[in-house]
Amino acid sequence: QQHLVESGGGLVQAGGSLRLSCAVSGNTFNKSPMGWFRQLPGQGREFVAGINVAGSARGYANSVKGRFTISRENDKNAVYLQMDRLKPEDTAVYYCAGLLTSSKDPYYYDVQEMYEFFGQGTQVTVSS
């Protein structure tokens, strides 16, 4: 079981940056590929970025590629999303997500249904 808590959301002007953090409780973080999802107003939740257990493989949605960076610190049970060159269309509630596989899993995952745990979300608002 994992408990995920996001922080770092807020209001920022277009072109600005934010860094989201996700603290993960429990002792299974080193067996968990992690991801970030977002839910835009009036839409379903969508994949943003994923990272494997070792932090050696990352994947991004096309809409954020080159602007967002996912990372993790396994000794701190934390995962991050650095968001640069933000656009008004990035306005959404951002969710941290995790699933349990194994400490040797080399993959990240971009399918929401594969994730077992989600945080409560943090609001990101980008003004034009």
Side-chain angles (χ1 to χ4, degrees), residues 65-116:
K65 200 171 294 183
R67 300 187 298 120
F68 290 12
T69 303
I70 188 172
S71 61
R72 65 189 293 162
E73 291 186 284
N74 286 351
D75 58 342
K76 296 182 178 179
N77 278 26
V79 62
Y80 309 100
L81 185 68
Q82 177 67 40
M83 305 186 295
D84 298 318
R85 302 198 304 279
L86 282 159
K87 304 175 181 180
E89 50 264 44
D90 294 318
T91 294
V93 178
Y94 284 73
Y95 298 89
C96 177
L99 67 153
L100 296 179
T101 57
S102 80
S103 60
K104 292 179 169 51
D105 188 344
Y107 301 109
Y108 65 87
Y109 298 88
D110 59 5
V111 178
Q112 182 180 191
E113 288 72 20
M114 296 191 69
Y115 283 83
E116 301 171 76

mmCIF file of all heavy atoms in Angstrom, residues 65-116:
data_model
loop_
_atom_site.group_PDB
_atom_site.id
_atom_site.type_symbol
_atom_site.label_atom_id
_atom_site.label_comp_id
_atom_site.label_asym_id
_atom_site.label_seq_id
_atom_site.Cartn_x
_atom_site.Cartn_y
_atom_site.Cartn_z
ATOM 1 N N LYS A 65 6.670 17.141 -23.950
ATOM 2 C CA LYS A 65 8.036 16.717 -24.248
ATOM 3 C C LYS A 65 8.913 17.930 -24.528
ATOM 4 O O LYS A 65 8.536 18.828 -25.280
ATOM 5 C CB LYS A 65 8.028 15.766 -25.443
ATOM 6 C CG LYS A 65 9.238 14.891 -25.577
ATOM 7 C CD LYS A 65 9.039 13.833 -26.656
ATOM 8 C CE LYS A 65 7.958 12.840 -26.296
ATOM 9 N NZ LYS A 65 7.804 11.775 -27.307
ATOM 10 N N GLY A 66 10.078 17.969 -23.899
ATOM 11 C CA GLY A 66 10.992 19.086 -24.073
ATOM 12 C C GLY A 66 10.751 20.231 -23.102
ATOM 13 O O GLY A 66 11.576 21.150 -23.006
ATOM 14 N N ARG A 67 9.633 20.195 -22.381
ATOM 15 C CA ARG A 67 9.331 21.251 -21.407
ATOM 16 C C ARG A 67 9.270 20.719 -19.978
ATOM 17 O O ARG A 67 9.603 21.444 -19.036
ATOM 18 C CB ARG A 67 7.999 21.915 -21.741
ATOM 19 C CG ARG A 67 7.946 22.566 -23.104
ATOM 20 C CD ARG A 67 6.652 23.359 -23.303
ATOM 21 N NE ARG A 67 5.465 22.513 -23.246
ATOM 22 C CZ ARG A 67 4.478 22.663 -22.370
ATOM 23 N NH1 ARG A 67 4.530 23.620 -21.459
ATOM 24 N NH2 ARG A 67 3.425 21.847 -22.402
ATOM 25 N N PHE A 68 8.843 19.480 -19.810
ATOM 26 C CA PHE A 68 8.698 18.873 -18.482
ATOM 27 C C PHE A 68 9.771 17.810 -18.283
ATOM 28 O O PHE A 68 10.173 17.130 -19.224
ATOM 29 C CB PHE A 68 7.326 18.217 -18.334
ATOM 30 C CG PHE A 68 6.155 19.158 -18.253
ATOM 31 C CD1 PHE A 68 6.276 20.502 -18.550
ATOM 32 C CD2 PHE A 68 4.911 18.678 -17.883
ATOM 33 C CE1 PHE A 68 5.195 21.359 -18.483
ATOM 34 C CE2 PHE A 68 3.807 19.508 -17.806
ATOM 35 C CZ PHE A 68 3.959 20.861 -18.106
ATOM 36 N N THR A 69 10.196 17.645 -17.021
ATOM 37 C CA THR A 69 11.180 16.619 -16.675
ATOM 38 C C THR A 69 10.738 15.897 -15.412
ATOM 39 O O THR A 69 10.498 16.541 -14.382
ATOM 40 C CB THR A 69 12.567 17.230 -16.447
ATOM 41 O OG1 THR A 69 12.968 17.954 -17.610
ATOM 42 C CG2 THR A 69 13.592 16.135 -16.170
ATOM 43 N N ILE A 70 10.643 14.581 -15.497
ATOM 44 C CA ILE A 70 10.320 13.768 -14.330
ATOM 45 C C ILE A 70 11.613 13.216 -13.741
ATOM 46 O O ILE A 70 12.552 12.865 -14.463
ATOM 47 C CB ILE A 70 9.344 12.622 -14.694
ATOM 48 C CG1 ILE A 70 8.857 11.897 -13.436
ATOM 49 C CG2 ILE A 70 9.964 11.656 -15.699
ATOM 50 C CD1 ILE A 70 7.740 10.882 -13.704
ATOM 51 N N SER A 71 11.672 13.156 -12.408
ATOM 52 C CA SER A 71 12.835 12.586 -11.730
ATOM 53 C C SER A 71 12.382 11.971 -10.420
ATOM 54 O O SER A 71 11.241 12.177 -9.991
ATOM 55 C CB SER A 71 13.899 13.664 -11.487
ATOM 56 O OG SER A 71 13.389 14.694 -10.654
ATOM 57 N N ARG A 72 13.285 11.226 -9.789
ATOM 58 C CA ARG A 72 12.950 10.600 -8.514
ATOM 59 C C ARG A 72 14.192 10.483 -7.649
ATOM 60 O O ARG A 72 15.321 10.436 -8.157
ATOM 61 C CB ARG A 72 12.322 9.225 -8.724
ATOM 62 C CG ARG A 72 13.235 8.189 -9.351
ATOM 63 C CD ARG A 72 12.459 6.922 -9.713
ATOM 64 N NE ARG A 72 11.978 6.204 -8.527
ATOM 65 C CZ ARG A 72 11.010 5.291 -8.563
ATOM 66 N NH1 ARG A 72 10.404 5.012 -9.709
ATOM 67 N NH2 ARG A 72 10.647 4.660 -7.451
ATOM 68 N N GLU A 73 13.971 10.438 -6.347
ATOM 69 C CA GLU A 73 15.044 10.205 -5.372
ATOM 70 C C GLU A 73 14.591 9.024 -4.515
ATOM 71 O O GLU A 73 13.741 9.185 -3.624
ATOM 72 C CB GLU A 73 15.279 11.435 -4.503
ATOM 73 C CG GLU A 73 15.891 12.601 -5.253
ATOM 74 C CD GLU A 73 16.255 13.749 -4.326
ATOM 75 O OE1 GLU A 73 15.332 14.474 -3.906
ATOM 76 O OE2 GLU A 73 17.452 13.911 -4.018
ATOM 77 N N ASN A 74 15.158 7.870 -4.780
ATOM 78 C CA ASN A 74 14.696 6.663 -4.098
ATOM 79 C C ASN A 74 15.048 6.671 -2.608
ATOM 80 O O ASN A 74 14.336 6.055 -1.804
ATOM 81 C CB ASN A 74 15.264 5.422 -4.785
ATOM 82 C CG ASN A 74 14.572 5.142 -6.107
ATOM 83 O OD1 ASN A 74 13.558 5.760 -6.441
ATOM 84 N ND2 ASN A 74 15.116 4.216 -6.881
ATOM 85 N N ASP A 75 16.110 7.370 -2.235
ATOM 86 C CA ASP A 75 16.455 7.404 -0.811
ATOM 87 C C ASP A 75 15.554 8.345 -0.025
ATOM 88 O O ASP A 75 15.579 8.345 1.203
ATOM 89 C CB ASP A 75 17.921 7.795 -0.628
ATOM 90 C CG ASP A 75 18.237 9.132 -1.243
ATOM 91 O OD1 ASP A 75 17.450 9.607 -2.083
ATOM 92 O OD2 ASP A 75 19.286 9.725 -0.887
ATOM 93 N N LYS A 76 14.749 9.145 -0.749
ATOM 94 C CA LYS A 76 13.816 10.064 -0.094
ATOM 95 C C LYS A 76 12.359 9.708 -0.357
ATOM 96 O O LYS A 76 11.451 10.429 0.068
ATOM 97 C CB LYS A 76 14.083 11.505 -0.549
ATOM 98 C CG LYS A 76 15.437 12.033 -0.154
ATOM 99 C CD LYS A 76 15.611 13.488 -0.585
ATOM 100 C CE LYS A 76 16.971 14.021 -0.145
ATOM 101 N NZ LYS A 76 17.180 15.421 -0.575
ATOM 102 N N ASN A 77 12.130 8.604 -1.066
ATOM 103 C CA ASN A 77 10.754 8.209 -1.422
ATOM 104 C C ASN A 77 10.005 9.370 -2.080
ATOM 105 O O ASN A 77 8.870 9.711 -1.689
ATOM 106 C CB ASN A 77 9.977 7.741 -0.176
ATOM 107 C CG ASN A 77 10.269 6.302 0.170
ATOM 108 O OD1 ASN A 77 11.331 5.777 -0.156
ATOM 109 N ND2 ASN A 77 9.344 5.657 0.850
ATOM 110 N N ALA A 78 10.631 9.989 -3.063
ATOM 111 C CA ALA A 78 10.037 11.169 -3.676
ATOM 112 C C ALA A 78 10.183 11.127 -5.193
ATOM 113 O O ALA A 78 11.175 10.627 -5.731
ATOM 114 C CB ALA A 78 10.681 12.436 -3.128
ATOM 115 N N VAL A 79 9.195 11.692 -5.854
ATOM 116 C CA VAL A 79 9.233 11.859 -7.299
ATOM 117 C C VAL A 79 8.841 13.299 -7.611
ATOM 118 O O VAL A 79 8.062 13.913 -6.871
ATOM 119 C CB VAL A 79 8.306 10.833 -8.003
ATOM 120 C CG1 VAL A 79 6.861 11.026 -7.598
ATOM 121 C CG2 VAL A 79 8.466 10.896 -9.508
ATOM 122 N N TYR A 80 9.409 13.835 -8.677
ATOM 123 C CA TYR A 80 9.255 15.250 -8.990
ATOM 124 C C TYR A 80 8.830 15.437 -10.446
ATOM 125 O O TYR A 80 9.073 14.577 -11.299
ATOM 126 C CB TYR A 80 10.576 15.987 -8.761
ATOM 127 C CG TYR A 80 11.189 15.729 -7.416
ATOM 128 C CD1 TYR A 80 12.226 14.811 -7.276
ATOM 129 C CD2 TYR A 80 10.731 16.397 -6.281
ATOM 130 C CE1 TYR A 80 12.784 14.556 -6.036
ATOM 131 C CE2 TYR A 80 11.291 16.143 -5.039
ATOM 132 C CZ TYR A 80 12.312 15.230 -4.920
ATOM 133 O OH TYR A 80 12.864 14.975 -3.688
ATOM 134 N N LEU A 81 8.227 16.588 -10.702
ATOM 135 C CA LEU A 81 7.929 16.981 -12.073
ATOM 136 C C LEU A 81 8.328 18.446 -12.222
ATOM 137 O O LEU A 81 7.670 19.334 -11.661
ATOM 138 C CB LEU A 81 6.443 16.801 -12.406
ATOM 139 C CG LEU A 81 6.079 17.076 -13.858
ATOM 140 C CD1 LEU A 81 6.691 15.996 -14.767
ATOM 141 C CD2 LEU A 81 4.560 17.114 -14.058
ATOM 142 N N GLN A 82 9.417 18.682 -12.929
ATOM 143 C CA GLN A 82 9.861 20.038 -13.237
ATOM 144 C C GLN A 82 9.149 20.485 -14.499
ATOM 145 O O GLN A 82 9.283 19.839 -15.547
ATOM 146 C CB GLN A 82 11.378 20.079 -13.436
ATOM 147 C CG GLN A 82 11.916 21.442 -13.830
ATOM 148 C CD GLN A 82 11.780 22.475 -12.744
ATOM 149 O OE1 GLN A 82 11.985 22.176 -11.568
ATOM 150 N NE2 GLN A 82 11.415 23.694 -13.113
ATOM 151 N N MET A 83 8.426 21.586 -14.398
ATOM 152 C CA MET A 83 7.630 22.072 -15.520
ATOM 153 C C MET A 83 8.153 23.446 -15.928
ATOM 154 O O MET A 83 8.072 24.398 -15.150
ATOM 155 C CB MET A 83 6.154 22.155 -15.131
ATOM 156 C CG MET A 83 5.592 20.837 -14.599
ATOM 157 S SD MET A 83 3.820 20.898 -14.292
ATOM 158 C CE MET A 83 3.765 22.096 -12.966
ATOM 159 N N ASP A 84 8.686 23.536 -17.116
ATOM 160 C CA ASP A 84 9.233 24.787 -17.648
ATOM 161 C C ASP A 84 8.431 25.235 -18.860
ATOM 162 O O ASP A 84 7.726 24.444 -19.486
ATOM 163 C CB ASP A 84 10.697 24.590 -18.032
ATOM 164 C CG ASP A 84 11.566 24.219 -16.848
ATOM 165 O OD1 ASP A 84 11.379 24.815 -15.779
ATOM 166 O OD2 ASP A 84 12.426 23.332 -16.980
ATOM 167 N N ARG A 85 8.578 26.518 -19.170
ATOM 168 C CA ARG A 85 7.886 27.104 -20.345
ATOM 169 C C ARG A 85 6.408 26.733 -20.322
ATOM 170 O O ARG A 85 5.849 26.268 -21.328
ATOM 171 C CB ARG A 85 8.558 26.656 -21.635
ATOM 172 C CG ARG A 85 10.039 27.035 -21.696
ATOM 173 C CD ARG A 85 10.614 27.007 -23.096
ATOM 174 N NE ARG A 85 10.459 25.747 -23.776
ATOM 175 C CZ ARG A 85 11.239 24.698 -23.598
ATOM 176 N NH1 ARG A 85 12.220 24.739 -22.736
ATOM 177 N NH2 ARG A 85 11.034 23.592 -24.283
ATOM 178 N N LEU A 86 5.796 26.957 -19.194
ATOM 179 C CA LEU A 86 4.397 26.580 -19.024
ATOM 180 C C LEU A 86 3.484 27.382 -19.938
ATOM 181 O O LEU A 86 3.755 28.564 -20.240
ATOM 182 C CB LEU A 86 3.986 26.758 -17.565
ATOM 183 C CG LEU A 86 4.451 25.637 -16.637
ATOM 184 C CD1 LEU A 86 4.472 26.084 -15.186
ATOM 185 C CD2 LEU A 86 3.577 24.414 -16.811
ATOM 186 N N LYS A 87 2.407 26.723 -20.353
ATOM 187 C CA LYS A 87 1.423 27.327 -21.238
ATOM 188 C C LYS A 87 0.053 27.310 -20.558
ATOM 189 O O LYS A 87 -0.196 26.454 -19.692
ATOM 190 C CB LYS A 87 1.335 26.516 -22.539
ATOM 191 C CG LYS A 87 2.640 26.345 -23.275
ATOM 192 C CD LYS A 87 2.457 25.433 -24.486
ATOM 193 C CE LYS A 87 3.759 25.226 -25.230
ATOM 194 N NZ LYS A 87 3.586 24.343 -26.414
ATOM 195 N N PRO A 88 -0.851 28.204 -20.954
ATOM 196 C CA PRO A 88 -2.198 28.171 -20.362
ATOM 197 C C PRO A 88 -2.875 26.808 -20.503
ATOM 198 O O PRO A 88 -3.626 26.398 -19.605
ATOM 199 C CB PRO A 88 -2.932 29.256 -21.148
ATOM 200 C CG PRO A 88 -1.862 30.229 -21.523
ATOM 201 C CD PRO A 88 -0.650 29.373 -21.816
ATOM 202 N N GLU A 89 -2.581 26.090 -21.577
ATOM 203 C CA GLU A 89 -3.204 24.773 -21.770
ATOM 204 C C GLU A 89 -2.638 23.700 -20.843
ATOM 205 O O GLU A 89 -3.113 22.565 -20.847
ATOM 206 C CB GLU A 89 -3.083 24.323 -23.230
ATOM 207 C CG GLU A 89 -1.688 24.410 -23.816
ATOM 208 C CD GLU A 89 -1.457 25.700 -24.595
ATOM 209 O OE1 GLU A 89 -1.857 26.790 -24.111
ATOM 210 O OE2 GLU A 89 -0.846 25.618 -25.686
ATOM 211 N N ASP A 90 -1.633 24.036 -20.045
ATOM 212 C CA ASP A 90 -1.135 23.115 -19.015
ATOM 213 C C ASP A 90 -1.954 23.216 -17.734
ATOM 214 O O ASP A 90 -1.726 22.445 -16.796
ATOM 215 C CB ASP A 90 0.335 23.418 -18.688
ATOM 216 C CG ASP A 90 1.266 23.138 -19.846
ATOM 217 O OD1 ASP A 90 1.095 22.103 -20.523
ATOM 218 O OD2 ASP A 90 2.186 23.954 -20.073
ATOM 219 N N THR A 91 -2.877 24.167 -17.690
ATOM 220 C CA THR A 91 -3.725 24.322 -16.512
ATOM 221 C C THR A 91 -4.520 23.047 -16.262
ATOM 222 O O THR A 91 -5.248 22.574 -17.146
ATOM 223 C CB THR A 91 -4.681 25.509 -16.689
ATOM 224 O OG1 THR A 91 -3.914 26.717 -16.738
ATOM 225 C CG2 THR A 91 -5.683 25.588 -15.548
ATOM 226 N N ALA A 92 -4.364 22.478 -15.062
ATOM 227 C CA ALA A 92 -4.981 21.188 -14.754
ATOM 228 C C ALA A 92 -4.711 20.848 -13.292
ATOM 229 O O ALA A 92 -3.909 21.503 -12.625
ATOM 230 C CB ALA A 92 -4.402 20.087 -15.641
ATOM 231 N N VAL A 93 -5.375 19.803 -12.829
ATOM 232 C CA VAL A 93 -5.011 19.184 -11.559
ATOM 233 C C VAL A 93 -4.020 18.073 -11.887
ATOM 234 O O VAL A 93 -4.293 17.215 -12.730
ATOM 235 C CB VAL A 93 -6.232 18.609 -10.831
ATOM 236 C CG1 VAL A 93 -5.801 17.923 -9.537
ATOM 237 C CG2 VAL A 93 -7.243 19.708 -10.547
ATOM 238 N N TYR A 94 -2.883 18.094 -11.216
ATOM 239 C CA TYR A 94 -1.816 17.136 -11.482
ATOM 240 C C TYR A 94 -1.782 16.087 -10.378
ATOM 241 O O TYR A 94 -1.818 16.417 -9.182
ATOM 242 C CB TYR A 94 -0.473 17.856 -11.573
ATOM 243 C CG TYR A 94 -0.304 18.578 -12.884
ATOM 244 C CD1 TYR A 94 -1.013 19.746 -13.151
ATOM 245 C CD2 TYR A 94 0.531 18.071 -13.879
ATOM 246 C CE1 TYR A 94 -0.878 20.401 -14.368
ATOM 247 C CE2 TYR A 94 0.667 18.719 -15.099
ATOM 248 C CZ TYR A 94 -0.041 19.875 -15.333
ATOM 249 O OH TYR A 94 0.087 20.512 -16.552
ATOM 250 N N TYR A 95 -1.700 14.820 -10.795
ATOM 251 C CA TYR A 95 -1.722 13.689 -9.884
ATOM 252 C C TYR A 95 -0.433 12.880 -9.999
ATOM 253 O O TYR A 95 0.021 12.574 -11.101
ATOM 254 C CB TYR A 95 -2.889 12.760 -10.200
ATOM 255 C CG TYR A 95 -4.255 13.384 -10.059
ATOM 256 C CD1 TYR A 95 -4.856 14.040 -11.130
ATOM 257 C CD2 TYR A 95 -4.944 13.309 -8.850
ATOM 258 C CE1 TYR A 95 -6.110 14.609 -11.002
ATOM 259 C CE2 TYR A 95 -6.213 13.871 -8.714
ATOM 260 C CZ TYR A 95 -6.786 14.515 -9.801
ATOM 261 O OH TYR A 95 -8.038 15.071 -9.658
ATOM 262 N N CYS A 96 0.090 12.512 -8.861
ATOM 263 C CA CYS A 96 1.185 11.562 -8.776
ATOM 264 C C CYS A 96 0.586 10.155 -8.715
ATOM 265 O O CYS A 96 -0.481 9.963 -8.104
ATOM 266 C CB CYS A 96 1.983 11.865 -7.517
ATOM 267 S SG CYS A 96 3.344 10.762 -7.168
ATOM 268 N N ALA A 97 1.253 9.184 -9.325
ATOM 269 C CA ALA A 97 0.709 7.826 -9.359
ATOM 270 C C ALA A 97 1.828 6.801 -9.247
ATOM 271 O O ALA A 97 2.956 7.055 -9.682
ATOM 272 C CB ALA A 97 -0.074 7.606 -10.649
ATOM 273 N N GLY A 98 1.502 5.640 -8.676
ATOM 274 C CA GLY A 98 2.487 4.573 -8.545
ATOM 275 C C GLY A 98 1.853 3.201 -8.716
ATOM 276 O O GLY A 98 0.639 3.047 -8.599
ATOM 277 N N LEU A 99 2.697 2.233 -9.046
ATOM 278 C CA LEU A 99 2.247 0.853 -9.099
ATOM 279 C C LEU A 99 3.381 -0.011 -8.569
ATOM 280 O O LEU A 99 4.538 0.421 -8.542
ATOM 281 C CB LEU A 99 1.863 0.423 -10.515
ATOM 282 C CG LEU A 99 2.966 0.324 -11.559
ATOM 283 C CD1 LEU A 99 2.587 -0.680 -12.632
ATOM 284 C CD2 LEU A 99 3.205 1.680 -12.216
ATOM 285 N N LEU A 100 3.043 -1.214 -8.147
ATOM 286 C CA LEU A 100 4.041 -2.116 -7.585
ATOM 287 C C LEU A 100 4.414 -3.167 -8.613
ATOM 288 O O LEU A 100 3.543 -3.880 -9.123
ATOM 289 C CB LEU A 100 3.492 -2.779 -6.317
ATOM 290 C CG LEU A 100 3.179 -1.844 -5.157
ATOM 291 C CD1 LEU A 100 2.628 -2.640 -3.976
ATOM 292 C CD2 LEU A 100 4.419 -1.078 -4.740
ATOM 293 N N THR A 101 5.715 -3.265 -8.910
ATOM 294 C CA THR A 101 6.191 -4.330 -9.798
ATOM 295 C C THR A 101 7.375 -5.032 -9.121
ATOM 296 O O THR A 101 7.160 -5.912 -8.295
ATOM 297 C CB THR A 101 6.572 -3.771 -11.177
ATOM 298 O OG1 THR A 101 7.572 -2.754 -11.040
ATOM 299 C CG2 THR A 101 5.362 -3.173 -11.877
ATOM 300 N N SER A 102 8.582 -4.614 -9.436
ATOM 301 C CA SER A 102 9.757 -5.187 -8.793
ATOM 302 C C SER A 102 10.890 -4.177 -8.844
ATOM 303 O O SER A 102 10.855 -3.227 -9.626
ATOM 304 C CB SER A 102 10.184 -6.485 -9.481
ATOM 305 O OG SER A 102 10.908 -6.196 -10.658
ATOM 306 N N SER A 103 11.881 -4.375 -8.032
ATOM 307 C CA SER A 103 13.016 -3.450 -7.988
ATOM 308 C C SER A 103 13.840 -3.489 -9.275
ATOM 309 O O SER A 103 14.618 -2.576 -9.527
ATOM 310 C CB SER A 103 13.909 -3.775 -6.796
ATOM 311 O OG SER A 103 14.399 -5.094 -6.901
ATOM 312 N N LYS A 104 13.653 -4.511 -10.080
ATOM 313 C CA LYS A 104 14.425 -4.637 -11.327
ATOM 314 C C LYS A 104 13.615 -4.288 -12.572
ATOM 315 O O LYS A 104 14.101 -4.456 -13.690
ATOM 316 C CB LYS A 104 14.973 -6.060 -11.453
ATOM 317 C CG LYS A 104 16.041 -6.393 -10.422
ATOM 318 C CD LYS A 104 16.543 -7.815 -10.575
ATOM 319 C CE LYS A 104 17.793 -8.076 -9.740
ATOM 320 N NZ LYS A 104 17.644 -7.679 -8.344
ATOM 321 N N ASP A 105 12.413 -3.803 -12.366
ATOM 322 C CA ASP A 105 11.566 -3.466 -13.515
ATOM 323 C C ASP A 105 12.222 -2.352 -14.325
ATOM 324 O O ASP A 105 12.396 -1.248 -13.805
ATOM 325 C CB ASP A 105 10.190 -3.036 -13.012
ATOM 326 C CG ASP A 105 9.197 -2.855 -14.138
ATOM 327 O OD1 ASP A 105 9.602 -2.751 -15.319
ATOM 328 O OD2 ASP A 105 7.993 -2.819 -13.844
ATOM 329 N N PRO A 106 12.529 -2.566 -15.597
ATOM 330 C CA PRO A 106 13.223 -1.543 -16.380
ATOM 331 C C PRO A 106 12.294 -0.543 -17.065
ATOM 332 O O PRO A 106 12.772 0.393 -17.713
ATOM 333 C CB PRO A 106 13.953 -2.371 -17.433
ATOM 334 C CG PRO A 106 13.033 -3.532 -17.667
ATOM 335 C CD PRO A 106 12.403 -3.832 -16.334
ATOM 336 N N TYR A 107 10.984 -0.728 -16.924
ATOM 337 C CA TYR A 107 10.047 0.057 -17.714
ATOM 338 C C TYR A 107 9.354 1.168 -16.930
ATOM 339 O O TYR A 107 9.156 1.066 -15.727
ATOM 340 C CB TYR A 107 8.969 -0.859 -18.299
ATOM 341 C CG TYR A 107 9.531 -1.948 -19.173
ATOM 342 C CD1 TYR A 107 9.521 -3.279 -18.750
ATOM 343 C CD2 TYR A 107 10.104 -1.652 -20.396
ATOM 344 C CE1 TYR A 107 10.046 -4.278 -19.538
ATOM 345 C CE2 TYR A 107 10.641 -2.650 -21.198
ATOM 346 C CZ TYR A 107 10.612 -3.958 -20.760
ATOM 347 O OH TYR A 107 11.150 -4.950 -21.536
ATOM 348 N N TYR A 108 8.938 2.210 -17.662
ATOM 349 C CA TYR A 108 7.964 3.158 -17.146
ATOM 350 C C TYR A 108 6.637 2.815 -17.820
ATOM 351 O O TYR A 108 6.602 2.093 -18.822
ATOM 352 C CB TYR A 108 8.372 4.604 -17.428
ATOM 353 C CG TYR A 108 8.396 4.965 -18.892
ATOM 354 C CD1 TYR A 108 7.255 5.416 -19.553
ATOM 355 C CD2 TYR A 108 9.568 4.846 -19.626
ATOM 356 C CE1 TYR A 108 7.270 5.726 -20.892
ATOM 357 C CE2 TYR A 108 9.597 5.151 -20.978
ATOM 358 C CZ TYR A 108 8.446 5.592 -21.605
ATOM 359 O OH TYR A 108 8.460 5.891 -22.936
ATOM 360 N N TYR A 109 5.545 3.349 -17.301
ATOM 361 C CA TYR A 109 4.221 2.990 -17.802
ATOM 362 C C TYR A 109 3.411 4.245 -18.082
ATOM 363 O O TYR A 109 3.444 5.204 -17.304
ATOM 364 C CB TYR A 109 3.499 2.103 -16.775
ATOM 365 C CG TYR A 109 4.236 0.801 -16.553
ATOM 366 C CD1 TYR A 109 5.230 0.697 -15.596
ATOM 367 C CD2 TYR A 109 3.962 -0.314 -17.340
ATOM 368 C CE1 TYR A 109 5.929 -0.485 -15.412
ATOM 369 C CE2 TYR A 109 4.653 -1.496 -17.160
ATOM 370 C CZ TYR A 109 5.645 -1.571 -16.203
ATOM 371 O OH TYR A 109 6.340 -2.740 -16.030
ATOM 372 N N ASP A 110 2.671 4.225 -19.192
ATOM 373 C CA ASP A 110 1.891 5.405 -19.571
ATOM 374 C C ASP A 110 0.396 5.122 -19.640
ATOM 375 O O ASP A 110 -0.359 5.956 -20.146
ATOM 376 C CB ASP A 110 2.386 5.966 -20.909
ATOM 377 C CG ASP A 110 2.304 4.956 -22.046
ATOM 378 O OD1 ASP A 110 1.772 3.844 -21.834
ATOM 379 O OD2 ASP A 110 2.780 5.283 -23.162
ATOM 380 N N VAL A 111 -0.023 3.974 -19.114
ATOM 381 C CA VAL A 111 -1.436 3.605 -19.132
ATOM 382 C C VAL A 111 -2.007 3.778 -17.736
ATOM 383 O O VAL A 111 -1.565 3.127 -16.778
ATOM 384 C CB VAL A 111 -1.618 2.148 -19.602
ATOM 385 C CG1 VAL A 111 -3.093 1.762 -19.560
ATOM 386 C CG2 VAL A 111 -1.045 1.963 -20.996
ATOM 387 N N GLN A 112 -2.986 4.658 -17.622
ATOM 388 C CA GLN A 112 -3.539 4.995 -16.312
ATOM 389 C C GLN A 112 -4.058 3.762 -15.567
ATOM 390 O O GLN A 112 -3.862 3.641 -14.351
ATOM 391 C CB GLN A 112 -4.667 6.013 -16.480
ATOM 392 C CG GLN A 112 -5.283 6.471 -15.181
ATOM 393 C CD GLN A 112 -6.394 7.480 -15.373
ATOM 394 O OE1 GLN A 112 -6.852 8.082 -14.432
ATOM 395 N NE2 GLN A 112 -6.846 7.676 -16.612
ATOM 396 N N GLU A 113 -4.671 2.843 -16.295
ATOM 397 C CA GLU A 113 -5.298 1.684 -15.648
ATOM 398 C C GLU A 113 -4.280 0.754 -14.988
ATOM 399 O O GLU A 113 -4.653 -0.070 -14.152
ATOM 400 C CB GLU A 113 -6.125 0.894 -16.659
ATOM 401 C CG GLU A 113 -7.428 1.574 -17.104
ATOM 402 C CD GLU A 113 -7.191 2.767 -18.008
ATOM 403 O OE1 GLU A 113 -6.090 2.858 -18.599
ATOM 404 O OE2 GLU A 113 -8.098 3.614 -18.122
ATOM 405 N N MET A 114 -3.021 0.894 -15.335
ATOM 406 C CA MET A 114 -1.998 0.052 -14.726
ATOM 407 C C MET A 114 -1.585 0.561 -13.346
ATOM 408 O O MET A 114 -0.995 -0.169 -12.563
ATOM 409 C CB MET A 114 -0.771 -0.028 -15.628
ATOM 410 C CG MET A 114 -1.047 -0.689 -16.963
ATOM 411 S SD MET A 114 0.444 -1.060 -17.876
ATOM 412 C CE MET A 114 1.138 -2.364 -16.871
ATOM 413 N N TYR A 115 -1.881 1.806 -13.050
ATOM 414 C CA TYR A 115 -1.450 2.402 -11.788
ATOM 415 C C TYR A 115 -2.437 2.044 -10.674
ATOM 416 O O TYR A 115 -3.650 2.057 -10.863
ATOM 417 C CB TYR A 115 -1.327 3.915 -11.939
ATOM 418 C CG TYR A 115 -0.076 4.316 -12.673
ATOM 419 C CD1 TYR A 115 -0.012 4.310 -14.062
ATOM 420 C CD2 TYR A 115 1.084 4.669 -11.971
ATOM 421 C CE1 TYR A 115 1.156 4.637 -14.742
ATOM 422 C CE2 TYR A 115 2.253 5.012 -12.639
ATOM 423 C CZ TYR A 115 2.276 4.993 -14.017
ATOM 424 O OH TYR A 115 3.427 5.324 -14.671
ATOM 425 N N GLU A 116 -1.871 1.728 -9.520
ATOM 426 C CA GLU A 116 -2.669 1.275 -8.385
ATOM 427 C C GLU A 116 -2.955 2.388 -7.388
ATOM 428 O O GLU A 116 -3.936 2.321 -6.650
ATOM 429 C CB GLU A 116 -1.926 0.140 -7.678
ATOM 430 C CG GLU A 116 -1.648 -1.065 -8.562
ATOM 431 C CD GLU A 116 -0.722 -2.049 -7.882
ATOM 432 O OE1 GLU A 116 -1.180 -2.780 -6.989
ATOM 433 O OE2 GLU A 116 0.474 -2.069 -8.245
#
